[in-house]
Amino acid sequence: MQSDQQQQGTYQAPATGSKIIIVGGGCFGLSTAYSLASNKAKNYKVWVYDREAIPVRDAASNDISKVVRMDYGNERLCMELAIDSIDIWNQWNKERAAQGLSPVYHNTGMLVFSGEDKLCENEKYSLHHIRAAGHGDWIEELSADQLVSRYPYFETAVKNGISCAYYNKVGGWCNSAEAIKHIYSKCKAVGVQFVLGDQGCFVGLETDKSNARSVTGIRTKTGDIHLADRVVMCTGSWTSSVIDMHQQVIATGQVVVHFRPSEQVKKVLSNLPVWFGDFSRIGFYGFPDNGEGIIKIAKHSTGYLNPRKGDNVSVPRTQSTHEGDTIPVQAVRDFREYLHKFLPITDDLDITYSRVCWYSDSIDGQFIVGAHPDYNNLIVAAGDSGHAMKFLPMMGTRISEVIENQDTEYTRAWAWRKVVPRAGFYDRPILVDDNHVVRMVTSAELRSSKI
């Protein structure tokens, strides 16, 4: 279903040679900039604005690792987009090898657990679609005995009933910060212009004085007005706090921890792939050693809110502006409890780093990429919902199809929509408020001794 503007025919693709401003230099913004600027037939003048140098310190994309997977349950389009993206991830690795740079994509494979002695429906759908796409040879279903034989460190998990899994040999993880740097350099090579720092810090839309619906550009922190034929908002978890998204997306904080295991533990875990531990129901997932001695584990859940005073819109609270922030004490307890039964080799490891990573969660978990219903000439690309980075090489191609008003499966699936939140969608723990409802852990509480 396309957005109201697209359905009514009021949104039109930008003309050849148009100036297009993209607000946000993260995953969506840079991928879109590269796609638009690479279209030489259209000769777009593409400008990217951001409040910081790239990679932006507190963007979700500025991380040591993100999962690259095609395993998407019944979401066939996401699976297909992931497979297309993996082809380009491999191409980027070749580009970087020619430049003497390290790979950005690591094909460790994906080990997907179900929390029962059989695969749950989500995992069954994943296998169905992967096989239907002709990639059944990538999949290996594993029994409990096979799991323990191949991955002895998961013996406790199997004994605790987490005993059914499959392995997808295609997939793994990307070094997301390096990937952002890579596409940033590609953007500059095709002529994308960047305005960063206070001069690039978005503070509002500029509209036609005779028609408040007509967006003519943006205003930045320095007071300057920057005009354009089209504005594309790619502002990640800040989106709902800088533009009215009609409560279709919300900024949520998700917890991440790092371990630095000893050489002995690293040797034991030497064949650890990216893993999902009953992800569709519990949300824990993790990564192998990133090459610098760090093992990252995270949890995707309902997440935390950080309401802004005045309107209660949730806004990111990051370590860039709140140095020393860790994660809620209950989150550490949840990690320790789960890992004790799933990967107990971590019991004696200190958590060496923790943070709250901010996403723009949509109500239905799908991306929202479409013409904003309140304005002309404004496209929003939001709702990353914590699973966008794997699509970095292809995301801009699909967003460009929206900007150019093409009718595709993706533009229809991601179009602006009015979804009624399920009961309790906005009823989430508050990260910090006047009553300090959620307490952050201290450094001492991140040590291996239980809190």
Side-chain angles (χ1 to χ4, degrees):
M1 173 173 186
Q2 290 185 297
S3 70
D4 293 343
Q5 282 188 50
Q6 289 164 318
Q7 284 181 322
Q8 297 165 6
T10 56
Y11 177 80
Q12 296 183 2
T16 298
S18 291
K19 179 181 177 181
I20 300 176
I21 283 179
I22 297 171
V23 182
C27 173
F28 283 7
L30 293 180
S31 188
T32 303
Y34 179 69
S35 176
L36 291 172
S38 297
N39 188 344
K40 298 306 179 185
K42 293 292 187 177
N43 194 31
Y44 295 130
K45 309 301 185 290
V46 183
W47 291 69
V48 174
Y49 288 72
D50 207 301
R51 71 192 193 286
E52 286 200 355
I54 296 171
V56 177
R57 287 178 299 166
D58 51 8
S61 55
N62 188 22
D63 202 348
I64 64 169
S65 57
K66 297 290 185 185
V67 175
V68 176
R69 63 179 167 103
M70 69 190 70
D71 311 72
Y72 257 94
N74 214 18
E75 302 293 337
R76 177 185 57 82
L77 283 182
C78 286
M79 179 202 71
E80 293 177 353
L81 188 61
I83 292 172
D84 291 342
S85 297
I86 288 171
D87 286 341
I88 304 177
W89 280 116
N90 285 317
Q91 178 184 320
W92 285 5
N93 279 353
K94 292 177 181 177
E95 294 173 5
R96 291 177 65 83
Q99 299 167 20
L101 299 173
S102 60
V104 284
Y105 166 58
H106 301 267
N107 184 50
T108 61
M110 281 279 304
L111 185 60
V112 181
F113 285 87
S114 185
E116 303 174 344
D117 58 1
K118 61 181 180 180
L119 294 176
C120 69
E121 289 302 307
N122 191 70
E123 279 72 51
K124 289 179 181 177
Y125 280 128
S126 289
L127 295 185
H128 167 75
H129 288 297
I130 293 169
R131 286 165 172 156
H135 302 303
D137 59 318
W138 292 351
I139 300 297
E140 183 180 3
E141 295 188 57
L142 301 173
S143 68
D145 289 343
Q146 288 172 318
L147 275 169
V148 174
S149 176
R150 187 181 298 183
Y151 310 105
Y153 40 83
F154 284 130
E155 181 177 8
T156 300
V158 171
K159 288 180 178 178
N160 285 322
I162 310 172
S163 56
C164 187
Y166 73 84
Y167 177 72
N168 186 342
K169 69 180 182 181
V170 176
W173 61 279
C174 69
N175 183 327
S176 48
E178 281 300 313
I180 288 295
K181 294 176 187 177
H182 186 73
I183 198 168
Y184 178 39
S185 67
K186 292 173 76 71
C187 283
K188 290 190 288 187
V190 293
V192 177
Q193 301 295 310
F194 288 87
V195 182
L196 307 175
D198 286 351
Q199 290 183 318
C201 180
F202 173 88
V203 296
L205 296 170
E206 184 70 11
T207 58
D208 191 318
K209 290 180 174 55
S210 61
N211 180 7
R213 282 189 56 91
S214 181
V215 173
T216 58
I218 65 171
R219 300 187 305 278
T220 57
K221 188 174 181 179
T222 53
D224 297 313
I225 295 172
H226 305 267
L227 301 178
D229 301 296
R230 194 70 80 253
V231 174
V232 185
M233 299 295 291
C234 297
T235 43
S237 54
W238 281 267
T239 302
S240 52
S241 62
V242 296
I243 189 168
D244 185 357
M245 290 295 291
H246 297 203
Q247 294 190 312
Q248 295 302 294
V249 299
I250 185 173
T252 69
Q254 310 289 330
V255 288
V256 175
V257 301
H258 293 179
F259 296 104
R260 282 189 174 271
S262 66
E263 291 301 320
Q264 181 181 359
V265 172
K266 285 196 289 184
K267 186 176 181 180
V268 171
L269 299 176
S270 61
N271 69 334
L272 179 69
V274 170
W275 56 265
F276 275 21
D278 197 11
F279 179 78
S280 59
R281 288 178 291 193
I282 298 178
F284 285 100
Y285 63 100
F287 299 80
D289 188 323
N290 73 335
E292 297 181 5
I294 299 172
I295 289 180
K296 170 184 160 183
I297 298 176
K299 182 182 181 183
H300 189 88
S301 63
T302 56
Y304 296 86
L305 303 183
N306 185 43
R308 180 170 60 187
K309 290 185 178 180
D311 59 9
N312 281 328
V313 171
S314 182
V315 295
R317 176 188 168 104
T318 73
Q319 291 175 341
S320 292
T321 53
H322 295 81
E323 187 177 352
D325 265 7
T326 54
I327 60 177
V329 63
Q330 185 59 49
V332 177
R333 292 179 178 136
D334 291 344
F335 270 90
R336 291 294 190 184
E337 180 181 353
Y338 183 79
L339 291 173
H340 178 65
K341 68 178 183 179
F342 181 75
L343 193 58
I345 199 170
T346 61
D347 283 355
D348 296 327
L349 301 179
D350 293 344
I351 294 173
T352 55
Y353 173 78
S354 66
R355 74 161 172 156
V356 178
C357 181
W358 288 88
Y359 300 150
S360 172
D361 273 352
S362 65
I363 292 172
D364 57 9
Q366 300 297 319
F367 305 142
I368 297 177
V369 185
H372 195 288
D374 297 345
Y375 299 99
N376 300 326
N377 305 325
L378 179 67
I379 295 287
V380 292
D384 63 86
S385 302
H387 68 113
M389 188 64 196
K390 66 181 66 65
F391 304 126
L392 175 69
M394 277 296 298
M395 196 68 205
T397 299
R398 300 305 180 204
I399 295 175
S400 295
E401 291 170 352
V402 174
I403 295 168
E404 296 187 327
N405 206 23
Q406 298 180 33
D407 183 19
T408 71
E409 280 191 279
Y410 289 97
T411 61
R412 291 192 296 273
W414 298 346
W416 185 281
R417 52 202 178 271
K418 299 173 183 176
V419 180
V420 177
R422 64 184 181 274
F425 180 77
Y426 291 108
D427 184 18
R428 306 176 190 223
I430 295 172
L431 194 65
V432 176
D433 68 6
D434 292 337
N435 297 318
H436 302 287
V437 172
V438 174
R439 182 174 73 81
M440 301 292 221
V441 296
T442 64
S443 297
E445 290 170 325
L446 292 172
R447 295 173 185 157
S448 59
S449 57
K450 304 300 185 295
I451 60 173

